[in-house]
């Protein structure tokens, strides 16, 4: 479920071009794309196609995509490309990101560093609900978590994955599940498929 | 006024923290009624109130030296407990100035500040007698202090501090010195907005408490600080109940029995004040933590009884959120023996000037 009572959990919305922008950058995690979503996106973004660049990661079949297409290997390539952006981004730029939550917040974080404000950014969730989990004890993040309890990659403690979310870290909080009664670890179940 | 400091106290390991009778009597007991629920409990910080802790801008008490030492230990182990985002330098100086001016005005026997001018570039001399510090520095020039100004001054103050930057009609937690928190992580929260960092709190969002509190704070005025009390419970008089160190203190929650609850279970009250800062327009949020065991509190009969009633009717979401689930039954059993059910007057005042004899230990 994407809904949560915890207010730090971001709400995501379907991307729509912001006509107040003068240049548009659409960044898509190819592996997270539902069938047919690329085509509907292209329609939605048709009005700004002349000033649109689309960065697509992974290798999905591309047919009739709006704007100028760039294919990038992975999220790391997206981050590098943003970080070494030779062309200056400014007030007129709009960034639209579509993908899993770790992807969205990795890109959002890199964009914030080069000056994108909240009003210039839209995020749409697609694909798996798997989470990036930040360990409150050793501060190491564990990627691609689909279970409600996960062993931390850094300190091996079993962490309960809470809904509390940090945009800066792009991660959910993980807290040792058996701190009060060492060894009492509830059954581990898949919940973020 | 002279304060008898207790530098030998500890807040971990052998827990040599104790409250004197005077410290118990001035405890900021947070429950005016037999039931508790979240509300927008904000009032002017007027230097008066039902306890002595309200008399000064920043309360200094008998635990001052020991608390500053405990803070230094925590920072040594985890330097990330102090974080300041780069755009907060002005707010750092605002904080240093507010603390130095308030402490030296309120406690002239303990602290002194001599200024050759009020503006950036003036030479200031700060003397902290309890900690044996004398520091000459140039106000506005961080190079002339041993560390950045926010860390420098908050290491010499009891309690935690957050600084909230105000922009886009919101508050952002863009700096903090957090070594005695009730289970929240600065490293996780830094940079968050008011609603985000309050995300995990149950019920209060739904009843509009945070919306109204934020509106109120955005209009906070210079020279008109406000305050509120918050509370939770801790096992042992431990200041560092952070999520970072939860593996260390979590097991203590399983150690409580009806026999030892009196000395193990502590009411943890936070006196939170809110100050508009003059140059940065940020808000300083000091969180001053007071700890008293059930043994301590029951020596004021009204407090022991009231705590029993509040805890036995606490909404289950709050029990869970505050982490009381595992030991609440034992604490209630202990408290029930000290509650005769008599009607209690509304208000937090102790209603006595002398304490009953200690009940256990
Ligand atoms: C602007 C400065 C403030 C800061 C930096 C701050 C910070 C925090 C933090 C970090 C938490 C812990 C959340 C968690 O579980 O992770 C918290 C809890 C809470 N805050 Fe605030 N807060 C501020 C102001 C206020 C105000 C003005 C109110 C007034 C209603 C308020 C009401 C609460 C309540 C009710 C809780 C839950 C506490 C409990 O049950 O133990 N806060 N706050």
């Amino acid at each position: 479920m994407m809904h949560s009572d915890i207010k730090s959990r971001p709400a995501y919305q379907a991307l729509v071009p912001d006509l107040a922008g003068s240049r548009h950058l659409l960044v898509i995690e190819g592996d997270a794309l539902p069938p047919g979503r690329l085509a509907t996106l292209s329609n939605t973004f048709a009005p700004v196609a002349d000033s649109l660049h689309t960065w697509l990661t992974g290798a999905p079949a591309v047919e009739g995509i709006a704007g100028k297409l760039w294919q990038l290997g992975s999220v790391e390539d997206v981050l590098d490309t943003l970080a070494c952006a030779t062309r200056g981004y400014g007030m007129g730029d709009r960034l639209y990101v579509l993908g899993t939550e770790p992807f969205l917040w990795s890109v959002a974080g890199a964009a914030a560093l080069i000056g994108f404000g909240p009003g210039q950014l839209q995020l749409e969730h697609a694909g798996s609900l798997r989470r990036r989990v930040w360990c409150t004890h050793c501060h190491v993040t564990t990627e691609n978590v689909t279970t409600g309890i996960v062993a931390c990659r850094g300190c091996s403690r079993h962490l309960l994955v809470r809904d509390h979310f940090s945009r800066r870290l792009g991660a959910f909080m993980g807290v040792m599940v058996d701190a009060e009664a060492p060894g009492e670890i509830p059954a581990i179940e898949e919940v973020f498929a | 006024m002279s304060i008898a400091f207790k530098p030998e106290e500890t807040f971990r390991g052998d827990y040599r923290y104790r409250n004197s009778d005077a410290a118990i009597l001035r405890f900021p007991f947070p429950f005016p009624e037999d039931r508790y629920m979240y509300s927008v409990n904000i009032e002017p910080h007027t230097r008066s109130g039902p306890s002595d802790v309200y008399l000064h801008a920043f309360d200094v008490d008998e635990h001052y030296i020991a608390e500053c030492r405990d803070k230094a230990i925590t920072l040594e182990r985890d330097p990330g407990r102090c974080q300041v985002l780069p755009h907060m330098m002005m707010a750092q100086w605002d904080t240093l100035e507010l603390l130095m001016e308030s402490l030296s005005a309120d406690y002239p026997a303990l602290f002194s500040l001599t200024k050759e001018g009020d503006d950036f570039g003036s030479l200031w001399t700060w003397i902290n007698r309890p900690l044996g510090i004398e520091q000459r520095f140039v106000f506005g020039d961080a190079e002339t202090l041993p560390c950045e100004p926010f860390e420098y001054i908050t290491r010499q103050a009891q309690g935690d501090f957050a600084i909230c930057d105000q922009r886009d009609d919101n508050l952002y937690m863009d700096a903090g010195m957090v070594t005695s928190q009730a289970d929240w992580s600065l490293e996780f929260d830094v940079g968050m907005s008011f609603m985000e960092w309050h995300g995990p709190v149950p019920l209060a969002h739904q009843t509009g408490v945070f919306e109204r509190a934020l509106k109120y704070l955005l209009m906070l005025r210079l020279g008109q600080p406000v305050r509120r009390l918050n509370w939770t419970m801790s096992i042992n008089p431990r200041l560092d109940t952070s999520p970072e160190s939860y593996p260390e203190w979590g097991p203590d929650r399983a150690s409580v029995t009806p026999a030892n609850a009196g000395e193990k279970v502590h009411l943890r009250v936070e006196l939170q004040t809110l100050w508009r800062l003059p140059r940065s327009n940020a808000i300083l949020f000091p969180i001053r933590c007071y700890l008293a065991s059930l043994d301590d509190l029951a020596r004021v009969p009204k407090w022991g009884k009231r705590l029993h009633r509040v805890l036995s009717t606490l909404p289950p979401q709050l029990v869970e959120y505050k982490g009381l689930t595992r030991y609440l039954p034992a604490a209630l059993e202990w408290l029930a023996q000290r509650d005769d059910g008599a009607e209690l007057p509304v208000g937090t005042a102790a209603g006595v000037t002398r304490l009953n004899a200690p009940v256990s230990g």
Side-chain angles (χ1 to χ4, degrees):
Chain A
M1 283 295 293
M2 289 299 284
H3 172 78
S4 160
D5 280 346
I6 293 198
K7 299 289 184 253
S8 55
R9 184 77 202 275
Y12 303 103
Q13 254 139 34
L15 303 176
V16 279
D18 174 1
L19 300 179
S22 51
R23 294 187 300 188
H24 307 265
L25 176 58
L26 178 59
V27 180
I28 299 171
E29 182 180 18
D31 299 338
L33 268 176
R37 184 70 185 106
L38 211 48
T40 57
L41 263 181
S42 294
N43 284 339
T44 318
F45 278 80
V48 298
D50 290 346
S51 51
L52 174 70
H53 284 216
T54 299
W55 296 3
L56 187 61
T57 70
V62 278
E63 74 299 340
I65 197 164
K68 182 159 172 42
L69 176 69
W70 304 83
Q71 286 195 268
L72 300 170
S74 67
V75 67
E76 280 74 27
D77 299 311
V78 173
L79 303 185
D80 289 346
T81 314
L82 275 178
C84 353
T86 44
R87 147 180 111 103
Y89 290 98
M91 299 289 284
D93 281 290
R94 294 295 179 272
L95 176 62
Y96 313 84
V97 195
L98 183 136
T100 60
E101 222 158 11
F103 183 88
L104 295 180
W105 292 99
S106 296
V107 177
L113 282 180
I114 57 166
F116 277 91
Q120 294 172 273
L121 179 68
Q122 291 182 26
L123 305 177
E124 175 178 334
H125 183 270
S128 163
L129 292 175
R130 63 177 181 260
R131 295 180 168 189
R132 174 186 295 161
V133 175
W134 180 84
C135 175
T136 35
H137 316 301
C138 75
H139 295 180
V140 166
T141 51
T142 302
E143 301 284 347
N144 297 320
V145 176
T146 57
T147 48
I149 295 171
V150 67
C152 174
R153 196 174 55 79
C155 65
S156 314
R157 293 186 176 98
H158 282 84
L159 306 177
L160 174 71
V161 181
R162 298 181 58 196
D163 273 351
H164 197 16
F165 185 83
S166 158
R167 292 160 202 240
R168 185 178 71 86
L169 302 167
F172 291 85
M173 181 183 269
V175 179
M176 186 176 179
V177 72
D178 60 336
E180 297 182 18
E184 277 181 27
I185 298 169
I188 299 183
E189 286 167 17
E190 178 127 319
V191 281
F192 316 120
Chain B
M1 176 204 346
S2 84
I3 303 173
F5 295 115
K6 305 195 287 184
E8 73 291 346
E9 286 180 319
T10 53
F11 299 87
R12 60 184 84 213
D14 56 0
Y15 292 108
R16 275 182 290 152
Y17 168 93
R18 297 290 177 275
N19 282 311
S20 66
D21 285 11
I24 298 173
L25 280 167
R26 75 198 293 277
F27 189 77
F29 190 74
F31 307 117
E33 291 166 15
D34 288 351
R35 275 164 209 270
Y36 176 83
M37 186 49 199
Y38 294 141
S39 64
V40 188
N41 56 336
I42 307 178
E43 61 178 15
H45 185 31
T46 52
R47 325 296 149 91
S48 67
S51 151
D52 278 6
V53 304
Y54 301 114
L55 294 186
H56 301 113
F58 299 92
D59 182 47
V60 173
D61 68 11
E62 61 188 22
H63 310 297
Y64 174 76
I65 294 177
E67 280 191 37
C68 291
R69 188 189 332 101
D70 193 72
K71 180 178 286 193
I73 296 170
T74 300
L75 284 166
E76 171 89 43
R77 295 177 51 175
D78 183 1
R81 301 297 187 86
C82 183
Q83 304 236 5
V84 186
L85 297 187
H87 62 278
M88 299 299 279
M89 190 44 96
M90 194 67 95
Q92 292 202 44
W93 288 110
D94 281 339
T95 302
L96 175 135
E97 176 187 53
L98 176 65
L99 276 160
M100 286 187 175
E101 289 197 332
S102 305
L103 290 170
S104 57
D106 286 343
Y107 302 94
L110 305 180
F111 306 100
S112 103
L113 178 63
T114 315
K115 304 197 271 189
E116 285 181 1
D118 286 320
D119 298 325
F120 279 177
S122 336
L123 186 66
W124 289 19
T125 304
W126 166 247
I127 298 177
N128 177 332
R129 292 187 188 90
L131 297 185
I133 293 171
E134 174 162 357
Q135 178 75 42
R136 284 156 61 80
F137 64 100
V138 176
F139 183 56
D141 181 358
E143 298 296 313
T144 61
L145 286 171
C147 56
E148 291 202 348
F150 177 67
E151 176 177 347
Y152 179 76
I153 194 58
T154 54
R155 275 178 177 268
Q156 301 178 44
Q158 287 170 273
D160 289 342
F161 292 80
I163 314 182
C164 305
D165 192 31
Q166 182 163 335
R167 52 182 198 271
D168 311 326
D169 278 336
N170 210 329
L171 296 174
Y172 294 86
M173 199 193 290
D174 286 350
M177 164 66 97
V178 178
T179 57
S180 56
Q181 70 269 48
D183 204 6
W184 62 278
S185 166
L186 177 67
E187 176 79 21
F188 193 74
D189 284 9
V190 69
M192 282 190 189
S193 70
F194 189 84
M195 295 302 173
E196 280 169 20
W197 81 62
H198 280 123
V201 182
L203 304 177
H205 290 274
Q206 292 80 343
T207 53
V209 165
F210 287 124
E211 203 178 319
R212 290 204 307 279
L214 175 59
K215 260 194 201 139
Y216 184 100
L217 293 185
L218 292 175
M219 296 187 302
L220 185 68
R221 291 166 65 176
L222 185 65
Q224 300 183 9
V226 298
R227 68 179 176 225
R228 65 182 294 268
L229 292 181
N230 188 52
W231 70 277
T232 186
M233 323 258 325
S234 299
I235 305 309
N236 297 323
R238 184 176 172 105
L239 289 175
D240 175 21
T241 49
S242 61
E244 277 76 6
S245 59
Y246 178 49
E248 286 169 38
W249 54 268
D252 298 347
R253 285 181 169 167
S255 72
V256 181
T257 64
N260 68 18
E263 59 179 303
K264 281 223 173 225
V265 179
H266 288 67
L267 181 60
R268 181 185 193 101
V269 174
E270 296 175 348
L271 169 54
Q272 308 178 335
T273 51
L274 293 127
W275 306 77
R276 177 69 68 194
L277 296 176
R279 300 173 187 78
S280 57
N281 197 44
I283 289 181
L284 180 68
F285 185 68
I287 309 160
R288 178 72 166 80
C289 172
Y290 297 86
L291 290 162
S293 63
L294 298 188
D295 274 349
D296 284 350
L297 293 168
R299 294 180 65 194
V300 175
K302 177 181 166 190
W303 290 353
K305 295 176 199 183
R306 175 146 286 152
L307 184 59
H308 174 238
R309 298 172 197 184
V310 166
L311 290 180
S312 53
T313 56
L314 198 63
Q317 296 91 332
L318 270 68
V319 172
E320 168 74 22
Y321 172 71
K322 290 174 187 283
L324 318 184
T325 311
R326 201 175 288 272
Y327 60 84
L328 189 60
L332 284 175
E333 193 174 326
W334 191 95
L335 285 164
Q337 292 161 23
R338 286 144 185 101
D339 184 2
D340 57 11
E343 199 171 318
L344 297 173
V346 172
T348 57
V352 292
T353 49
R354 288 202 16 231
L355 297 175
N356 284 350
V359 273
S360 62

